[in-house]
Structure formats: C-alpha cells, structure tokens
Amino acid sequence: MLNLDLFDDPGRDTGESIALADGALALCGAATSIADTLLAEIRAVEQQAPFRSMITPGGYTMSVATTSCGRFGWVSDAHGYRYSPLDPDTGKPWPSLPTVFTEFATECAARAGFHDFLPDACLINRYVAGSRLSLHQDRNERDMRAPIVSVSLGLPAVFLFGGLKRNDPTRRFRLSHGDVVVWGGPARLRFHGVLALKDGWHPATERCRINLTFRKAG
Ligand code: MD3
Ligand code: FE
C-alpha cells in the first residue's frame, strides 16, 4: 500500500497498518501468506460461477469481470445494481463462502475494530489491462454499520478515494498484492474507484488483478 502523494510512506511494509481516513484502515500485506489459498478457492468458485462482464444500468458492459460467492452475489443489469441469492447466468445459488474466506475477513475486520463481522457475500472482481471501475458508492448493502473488507491480489492498481459527495477531491493509493483494507464507519459511503489497470505480469495471477470484497449484504 503506497500513498502516491507521499514518497516516504512507512505503511508500505508488510505488517504495517495505516489509517487512510477516519474508518478506513489498510493492513499492508496482511493477505500475502494466505494469497495462494485464496486464489485456489477463487478457482473453485469460478468453476461453478464463471467470471462475466455485467451490464450497467446505463447500458455499458463493465470492463471488470465479476463473480460472487456466499449467500448473496452482486448483480447488475438494466434494472440496476443489487444482491441476489441466485446467479443469473446459471439460475443456481452462488457457491458458498469458503470457511477460510469468512475466517480471514472476520479477523481483518476485528483488527480494524469491527468485531463480530460476519460476511454473507464476497464479490470477486477480475481486472485485465485497461479494466477500470469508475467512481461510485457501495450502497446496496442493507446494514451500513457493517464494514467492507477488501483484499487485493496480483497486479497493483491505483485506487481513487473520494469523499461523501461525487465531486469531492480524491486521493490516490496503490493497492498491491496482499493488501487488505477495511472500510467502515464514516468511510463506508465514500466515493471510490480504480484507474485503468496497467499491463504487467504477477507470479500469483499472471496478467490480472483480483479484488475480493467481503460484505454483509443481507
Ligand atoms: C471504500 N472494488 O467492488 S476495493 C467494489 O479494487 C470496489 O475492485 C474496488 O470498489 C476494487 O465495489 C475497490 C476497495 C473498496 C471497496 C469498497 C469500499 C473501497 C471502498 C466501500 C466503501 C468505501
Ligand atoms: Fe466499491
């Protein structure tokens, strides 16, 4: 995790935690040692619920490919963004949340002061060169008191972190392999996005970046 505004960032080392803002805590490299286990589980999930490019309510095809696991999965179509217990592509329930996912997310949330976080959804985003996520808020979850735990795997990305209003100024952070960020409290409804991924190669994911977000959706 590198704050691109600061050259000398003490939080870039594994094991450091840095407050990005009130309610947003970065746990640098917290997922590095568990990354291969998480990636093996992602491969199992995608056998049952393949990555696909969802259509936005505005009619655009997302450049990020998504899938989900857990009681609820994130879906987007002409009718809007929402959570659904069924995968619209297969008509079946999403694959269940692997135990290691739940335990890791709960542990990270607790390290940030959110005790008893129990996710019921994990959105899995896959980026290739050029994939981006425009500035948005995550507001489809029922209980905004629950944080979101994000895990970055593979190629690094530049994350844009804004305010509570779309036009508030943004800061940029680099999210690297193994970085975990817990977003809650006053940070929970802040606008955020991801700049277009640069081409590259990472030993864990080859030419892509994968981001997991653990949520309490229902
Ligand atoms: C700040 N994903 O899936 S993770 C998303 O890297 C999403 O794929 C990005 O934004 C990605 O919705 C960013 C970091 C993140 C996730 C949720 C947040 C930051 C957040 C919710 C509120 C505030
Ligand atoms: Fe988001």
Side-chain angles (χ1 to χ4, degrees):
M1 160 71 53
L2 179 66
N3 181 342
L4 298 178
D5 298 331
L6 296 174
F7 192 77
D8 182 16
D9 178 4
R12 69 191 166 198
D13 296 324
T14 290
E16 295 287 324
S17 49
I18 2 168
L20 305 184
D22 199 7
L25 187 71
L27 308 172
C28 303
T32 309
S33 65
I34 205 175
D36 289 344
T37 303
L38 299 178
L39 286 162
E41 295 289 358
I42 293 164
R43 281 187 287 272
V45 166
E46 78 177 287
Q47 301 303 309
Q48 296 171 252
F51 282 102
R52 80 293 304 265
S53 298
M54 298 266 188
I55 311 295
T56 67
Y60 293 96
T61 301
M62 290 177 67
S63 59
V64 175
T66 64
T67 187
S68 289
C69 56
R71 171 103 176 68
F72 298 102
W74 183 85
V75 300
S76 176
D77 60 21
H79 304 290
Y81 307 119
R82 65 197 173 277
Y83 287 94
S84 169
L86 301 180
D87 176 347
D89 277 21
T90 65
K92 294 190 295 192
W94 298 96
S96 51
L97 264 180
T99 304
V100 63
F101 278 25
T102 309
E103 289 178 352
F104 184 67
T106 297
E107 178 197 319
C108 291
R111 284 178 61 186
F114 295 93
H115 296 281
D116 308 313
F117 173 59
L118 195 61
D120 58 15
C122 175
L123 169 59
I124 308 174
N125 291 335
R126 188 179 67 192
Y127 296 73
V128 295
S131 300
R132 55 189 287 276
L133 205 55
S134 54
L135 211 61
H136 67 277
Q137 288 174 302
D138 288 21
R139 50 185 312 154
N140 291 110
E141 300 76 22
R142 191 184 298 269
D143 181 2
M144 289 296 156
R145 293 168 306 183
I148 290 178
V149 175
S150 71
V151 179
S152 292
L153 299 169
L155 290 176
V158 179
F159 174 75
L160 276 184
F161 192 35
L164 293 173
K165 297 190 300 269
R166 180 175 289 280
N167 292 322
D168 286 342
T170 57
R171 293 170 66 197
R172 293 169 176 215
F173 298 95
R174 178 171 289 130
L175 293 177
S176 298
H177 179 71
D179 286 339
V180 175
V181 189
V182 182
W183 315 86
R188 181 63 181 76
L189 282 171
R190 286 175 68 157
F191 279 87
H192 57 278
V194 178
L195 298 189
L197 193 82
K198 284 180 66 175
D199 200 1
W201 192 88
H202 190 283
T205 59
E206 302 188 329
R207 293 182 73 180
C208 67
R209 167 177 188 262
I210 293 184
N211 181 264
L212 303 176
T213 45
F214 296 98
R215 300 147 186 266
K216 184 176 186 295

